[in-house]
Amino acid sequence: MWLHLNFNFGFNSSFVSKSLKKLPLTVAGLAFIAGINTVNANQDGLGPKITIPESSGESCILPSAEMRRQHPDLLKHDRIQTLREGVRAKADGGKLDGSLKQCVNCHAIKDASSKFVRIDNDQHFCVSCHKYAAVSIDCFQCHRDIPEGDGEFHALTNHKGINYSNIVPGTSSLTIKDMANIAPEVISDDN
Amino acid sequence: MTINIENEKKGAMTTTNVESSRRNFIFGSVAAAGLTVAPGMMLYQTANARSQSEKATSKVRWGMLVDTTKDVDWNKCVDACNNEHGLGNEHKSRDDQKTQYIRVVDVKNKGTGYSISLPVMCQHCEKPPCVDVCPTGASMKRPDGIVLVDRHRCIGCRYCMMACPYKARSFVHEVLSDQKENTPRGKGCVESCNMCVNRIDNGQEPACVEASDGAIIFGDLNNPESPISKILAKHGGKQIRADLKLNPGVHYQGI
């Protein structure tokens, strides 16, 4: 339908000015790109995939689906509470305190040589998803990207060393469609 | 006594060579007061300690009392500070650009030749000029009197560095890595001594206090029963540039 419309546009525009002549080509180009995206988004299995680490079932302070959606807001809320108000409570009254330090300690990924991967590595827990979503985060310009010492692993990571892979069967993967469902709402609590 | 600041050195400085016996002679009374406090006393008043789920309140005002008459190597405090906060991981910056939370300042009376050295960190003013001038609200004072930088809001304009009469703040000029997990630091932000706020919230003393062999006392200035308040009430202390009426939380003896 788009192409048909554009063709008519182009035909009519031969009677008008030069600047208008460029319009139909642009519109046609946009329609072409949009069309490809639509095709990919509508079909599972096409387009880039993202792999997420195997979970052992233990949940974070919220279920995984909510963590994917809400973690930016949780972190932002926590940073205001911690830094500006001095509240350093454990979020669940237990071992998790909801700080970025805690995130890093639990979600640290080790490479083949059993060293923690740093923020410049695509396997880093935060990077793997954020790179896929093309959302650049600057947390780690200041925050430490790997645990000090051995970290405080809990079952969110499977402790098997490398747990990201695009080729190993059994790792769960997200498609574009899945990602569209978990895109975080933008809520700002700046004050 | 007029004290002229003769020189100041960063990090590795040499302490002045005043013999301890002469020091003790001159400052006998103050030194004795320090001794009564030092051995085995719990200097961190826990009377007003709050739980980790409570906000910091203005019931407490944290402060420090530095006894410059004690013959301690202030570099030990500087080292403890650097270690606690992971300072010194700049590799490209010039020496005068590198972050320092504590400066060791030598002061000398040119008339008499008398000299002392003292650690100068953020003085945690009651009315901090750095907070007044900050355009984004990044430079802030917690209700319990700790002045610190919220790096989430700092845009690196360095206005606070200009405003601080104590030259307490530093600017990070390069990309950093391997920060300490309790002290996030990064390029483009101003930073300064935060009185080891993470340690205080955790019920510990600041790192420099711990390393000072009792020469720095930490406590609650609002609590008249705290050791720091008692010593200040009995023997007094001086604030640097008290004439500015900023009411710093860091007090000194022997200056």
Side-chain angles (χ1 to χ4, degrees):
Chain A
M1 186 199 95
W2 271 108
L3 278 175
H4 181 66
L5 183 71
N6 289 330
F7 183 76
N8 284 343
F9 227 99
F11 182 77
N12 293 337
S13 67
S14 60
F15 297 103
V16 291
S17 69
K18 263 189 178 178
S19 61
L20 264 180
K21 273 185 187 171
K22 289 179 183 171
L23 183 66
L25 281 175
T26 314
V27 173
L30 284 174
F32 185 64
I33 293 165
I36 283 180
N37 276 343
T38 309
V39 168
N40 275 358
N42 285 337
Q43 291 180 17
D44 286 344
L46 287 179
K49 283 182 181 175
I50 184 169
T51 53
I52 57 171
E54 196 179 320
S55 168
S56 64
E58 188 179 335
S59 82
C60 193
I61 54 175
L62 290 174
S64 298
E66 287 176 50
M67 284 307 294
R68 285 189 192 119
R69 182 180 284 273
Q70 293 181 20
H71 71 276
D73 303 317
L74 292 172
L75 283 168
K76 212 168 184 182
H77 178 257
D78 192 80
R79 83 186 192 192
I80 291 170
Q81 277 208 322
T82 304
L83 200 157
R84 303 190 77 89
E85 298 170 1
V87 179
R88 291 173 192 264
K90 310 283 182 188
D92 61 351
K95 61 184 177 176
L96 297 176
D97 64 6
S99 67
L100 189 59
K101 178 175 77 180
Q102 186 83 65
C103 303
V104 168
N105 272 333
C106 285
H107 290 285
I109 304 294
K110 283 183 175 175
D111 63 11
S113 55
S114 292
K115 281 177 141 183
F116 290 119
V117 295
R118 307 216 70 135
I119 195 69
D120 55 3
N121 189 317
D122 285 356
Q123 288 185 343
H124 189 278
F125 183 81
C126 306
V127 174
S128 59
C129 214
H130 275 276
K131 188 168 184 182
Y132 176 86
V135 178
S136 62
I137 48 170
D138 51 12
C139 309
F140 297 102
Q141 288 176 10
C142 286
H143 284 274
R144 187 176 175 84
D145 50 354
I146 58 172
E148 276 178 15
D150 293 333
E152 303 164 10
F153 281 125
H154 70 107
L156 279 177
T157 46
N158 62 9
H159 304 210
K160 288 175 189 164
I162 304 175
N163 49 11
Y164 278 95
S165 175
N166 282 312
I167 49 173
V168 176
T171 55
S172 49
S173 64
L174 298 176
T175 62
I176 290 177
K177 200 174 173 186
D178 296 326
M179 284 301 289
N181 289 331
I182 63 172
E185 292 167 14
V186 180
I187 302 168
S188 175
D189 57 354
D190 268 335
N191 50 20
Chain B
M1 180 174 79
T2 310
I3 294 179
N4 300 315
I5 292 183
E6 193 180 54
N7 68 60
E8 55 194 46
K9 292 170 186 168
K10 302 163 82 65
M13 64 76 59
T14 52
T15 48
T16 49
N17 294 318
V18 181
E19 290 174 23
S20 63
S21 60
R22 187 167 158 265
R23 270 175 188 252
N24 289 341
F25 174 71
I26 296 170
F27 299 106
S29 61
V30 184
L35 282 174
T36 59
V37 175
M41 183 176 271
M42 184 65 182
L43 295 172
Y44 189 148
Q45 273 308 93
T46 49
N48 280 329
R50 64 193 163 88
S51 83
Q52 292 203 316
S53 58
E54 287 175 61
K55 291 181 181 180
T57 67
S58 54
K59 283 181 200 159
V60 178
R61 176 156 189 229
W62 297 121
M64 293 197 276
L65 176 61
V66 183
D67 188 350
T68 63
T69 64
K70 290 205 169 172
D71 197 17
V72 298
D73 183 359
W74 298 119
N75 289 315
K76 282 203 308 190
C77 300
V78 175
D79 291 343
C81 177
N82 291 351
N83 191 40
E84 170 68 23
H85 298 290
L87 307 184
N89 55 352
E90 297 102 326
H91 303 295
K92 296 174 187 165
S93 305
R94 298 193 310 264
D95 275 355
D96 62 334
Q97 291 175 325
K98 288 179 180 170
T99 288
Q100 53 179 6
Y101 286 2
I102 306 177
R103 282 182 303 145
V104 180
V105 178
D106 289 342
V107 290
K108 185 174 184 181
N109 184 324
K110 284 179 179 166
T112 62
Y114 169 65
S115 66
I116 53 169
S117 69
L118 63 155
V120 179
M121 63 290 275
C122 170
Q123 302 288 299
H124 299 279
C125 307
E126 186 189 354
K127 297 164 188 156
C130 55
V131 175
D132 287 345
V133 300
C134 181
T136 65
S139 187
M140 55 168 279
K141 191 183 77 160
R142 260 180 33 158
D144 56 2
I146 300 171
V147 176
L148 69 167
V149 178
D150 182 350
R151 290 176 179 79
H152 304 119
R153 300 184 186 192
C154 179
I155 56 170
C157 72
R158 289 166 265 187
Y159 204 164
C160 56
M161 292 174 71
M162 296 289 120
C164 177
Y166 304 105
K167 204 170 147 184
R169 292 209 159 165
S170 306
F171 179 76
V172 180
H173 288 260
E174 60 176 277
V175 176
L176 299 180
S177 61
D178 260 334
Q179 295 94 331
K180 291 279 180 179
E181 59 183 17
N182 285 322
T183 310
R185 316 168 47 227
K187 183 183 178 182
C189 284
V190 175
E191 57 181 359
S192 66
C193 158
N194 57 12
M195 224 190 251
C196 291
V197 68
N198 57 299
R199 290 172 65 99
I200 291 176
D201 284 346
N202 203 24
Q204 295 170 283
E205 292 181 324
C208 60
V209 176
E210 208 170 81
S212 68
D213 297 328
I216 307 178
I217 295 168
F218 166 79
D220 179 9
L221 297 171
N222 279 355
N223 179 2
E225 296 304 312
S226 66
I228 187 171
S229 298
K230 281 183 175 171
I231 296 171
L232 281 171
K234 192 169 182 186
H235 300 284
K238 282 183 183 168
Q239 297 162 319
I240 304 177
R241 288 303 305 272
D243 58 311
L244 295 172
K245 295 188 170 59
L246 304 171
N247 190 14
V250 181
H251 297 253
Y252 292 84
Q253 285 178 331
I255 61 170

